[in-house]
Amino acid sequence: MKNNVLIAFMLVVSVLFSAHSIALPQISAYQGLVPEQENSEAQLREQALQQVLVKVSGNTGVVNLDETQLLAKDIPSILTKFGYEEIEGERYYSASFDKQKINQALIEMQQPIWGETRPNPLIWLVNENRQLISDNMITSNQDNSLSIGLDSAQLARGISANFPLVDLDDSLAVSVSDVSGRFYQTVAQASIRYDAEYFVLANLTPAGGEWQLKWELVKYNAQNKQSQVVVKQVNQGEKSNVIANMMGDIADYYAKQFAILENDGERTTQVVNISNLSSLSGLLALDNILNNLNAVDSFEILSLSGTKVQVLVTLKGSATSLKNALNAQPKLQQDLISDAPFYYNWRQ
């Protein structure tokens, strides 16, 4: 059932990119963007709502819930902004929804809430010409099908990807054979310059009139310098679809790591220790990070001594959810000296 739902949902999204990729504007998880076409405004609003519910919950099946159908009848009460946009000559309907009301609706549906913790995986992709796909090849749209797949995943699931520069440094550090041979540690070392906790090793090849994408999502633990394959798949179909499906599978994994299913029970707490935090701007940045973590209900500073800060965090979910979210923050690096969890160094 889930696969059918996902396929149907992606077909709606793929209409956006049926001929060419578009330069997507910055889109939050709480904003929907759908092509006008022959649809009425009521239909467009409902499609935008479905898009948002999938992105925020991380669950493609949420669109089939009875509660979603009821919510769709009361869309005006949760809309904060809507209108039409021209993007590269095409007309789209854009709708932004109230964050608190969407979150509350998902809680009442007993659905998880996936917040702003959405790491961009670094993708080391070997294409059919045995080339490593570079960031410039993506940004300059040298392979339109790849761009279409990436754009549709960003719109449908709320995640995007990074690609290596493939400059002299990368070329000296990583070869096509390293990626194809799955030399994880070699690629992990090359990924450090991009602050990538998650990276993908992938090979794209023609296969009987279609395309085959073999890929693995790898999580790198800087503390013990170990690489762990967390998702491994083979996708087959049109080129744009295999890329979009890969990103969808990564979104599913991320949702399991970072989405919070709130309960009505007593909140638990966790002390977080941060070193090397030496400025007011750093404290304000930390405050902003914690305020935007979905795993955090509230927090307070317990102590501030020199460059060390101790924070008491009240959790919405589990301590593991908090740890996953903190580990994904570029400004926070796990303390490699301490064996205890929740000890971090602040990156200046």
Side-chain angles (χ1 to χ4, degrees):
M1 182 65 178
K2 177 184 175 183
N3 287 339
N4 291 337
V5 171
L6 180 58
I7 290 169
F9 187 75
M10 291 302 294
L11 281 174
V12 172
V13 173
S14 66
V15 175
L16 280 167
F17 313 104
S18 57
H20 58 85
S21 66
I22 64 172
L24 282 176
Q26 193 68 31
I27 299 173
S28 79
Y30 295 86
Q31 178 185 357
L33 184 69
V34 293
E36 181 185 24
Q37 297 188 321
E38 301 297 326
N39 296 318
S40 67
E41 186 162 320
Q43 291 172 319
L44 294 171
R45 285 183 178 182
E46 185 169 351
Q47 290 174 17
L49 174 63
Q50 291 178 347
Q51 198 179 96
V52 165
L53 291 175
V54 168
K55 288 191 291 185
V56 176
S57 70
N59 175 21
T60 56
V62 72
V63 298
N64 281 341
L65 297 179
D66 292 338
E67 295 90 338
T68 296
Q69 310 308 317
L70 291 174
L71 187 64
K73 296 178 181 179
D74 195 29
I75 288 179
S77 69
I78 56 177
L79 270 176
T80 59
K81 183 181 178 182
F82 64 93
Y84 292 87
E85 296 184 19
E86 290 285 335
I87 304 176
E88 297 187 1
E90 300 292 335
R91 185 172 164 89
Y92 299 93
Y93 178 79
S94 173
S96 297
F97 295 86
D98 185 281
K99 179 178 179 179
Q100 291 185 339
K101 290 180 179 178
I102 290 292
N103 288 354
Q104 185 58 41
L106 288 171
I107 291 171
E108 292 172 0
M109 294 180 198
Q110 296 185 321
Q111 291 295 305
I113 298 172
W114 179 13
E116 302 301 323
T117 309
R118 297 168 182 258
N120 296 341
L122 178 67
I123 299 184
W124 299 88
L125 171 61
V126 177
N127 69 5
E128 65 273 22
N129 299 317
R130 289 191 59 77
Q131 294 176 297
L132 278 173
I133 297 295
S134 69
D135 177 71
N136 179 64
M137 294 171 72
I138 295 298
T139 56
S140 61
N141 198 27
Q142 293 183 30
D143 190 321
N144 190 58
S145 294
L146 285 182
S147 298
I148 289 172
L150 293 167
D151 288 347
S152 61
Q154 180 182 344
L155 200 62
R157 303 305 304 274
I159 67 167
S160 54
N162 292 330
F163 286 79
L165 297 174
V166 194
D167 56 6
L168 180 59
D169 288 342
D170 284 342
S171 298
L172 290 174
V174 177
S175 68
V176 166
S177 296
D178 291 327
V179 175
S180 299
R182 303 303 192 248
F183 289 94
Y184 304 115
Q185 290 304 104
T186 299
V187 180
Q189 287 299 309
S191 301
I192 290 175
R193 71 183 291 206
Y194 298 101
D195 290 328
E197 182 187 10
Y198 293 93
F199 60 89
V200 171
L201 302 178
N203 291 80
L204 181 66
T205 55
E210 294 185 319
W211 292 87
Q212 184 180 82
L213 183 69
K214 293 183 178 180
W215 62 275
E216 298 174 9
L217 177 66
V218 182
K219 181 178 181 180
Y220 179 65
N221 188 325
Q223 190 169 19
N224 58 25
K225 298 184 179 179
Q226 294 296 311
S227 298
Q228 176 188 6
V229 177
V230 293
V231 183
K232 183 177 182 179
Q233 294 283 5
V234 178
N235 298 338
Q236 192 154 329
E238 294 183 10
K239 185 186 283 189
S240 59
N241 287 344
V242 297
I243 295 297
N245 289 339
M246 177 186 73
M247 296 298 292
D249 289 334
I250 292 173
D252 288 340
Y253 171 79
Y254 281 170
K256 290 177 183 177
Q257 300 302 305
F258 305 122
I260 303 298
L261 185 60
E262 290 197 38
N263 57 63
D264 297 326
E266 184 178 348
R267 302 293 196 200
T268 59
T269 60
Q270 175 64 54
V271 174
V272 178
N273 299 274
I274 303 168
S275 299
N276 199 37
L277 193 53
S278 58
S279 67
L280 176 60
S281 62
L283 282 171
L284 292 174
L286 175 63
D287 182 87
N288 184 62
I289 287 172
L290 294 175
N291 270 316
N292 284 287
L293 287 187
N294 198 43
V296 175
D297 182 66
S298 62
F299 62 92
E300 61 177 304
I301 293 179
L302 292 179
S303 66
L304 181 58
S305 176
T307 63
K308 295 184 178 180
V309 181
Q310 194 173 65
V311 184
L312 179 66
V313 178
T314 302
L315 307 176
K316 288 182 181 177
S318 66
T320 299
S321 297
L322 176 64
K323 184 173 71 172
N324 289 339
L326 292 174
N327 289 348
Q329 302 305 312
K331 280 290 188 180
L332 293 173
Q333 182 179 43
Q334 278 189 284
D335 191 326
L336 302 182
I337 297 176
S338 174
D339 292 331
F342 301 105
Y343 277 76
Y344 296 89
N345 289 313
W346 184 260
R347 288 176 171 169
Q348 300 296 340

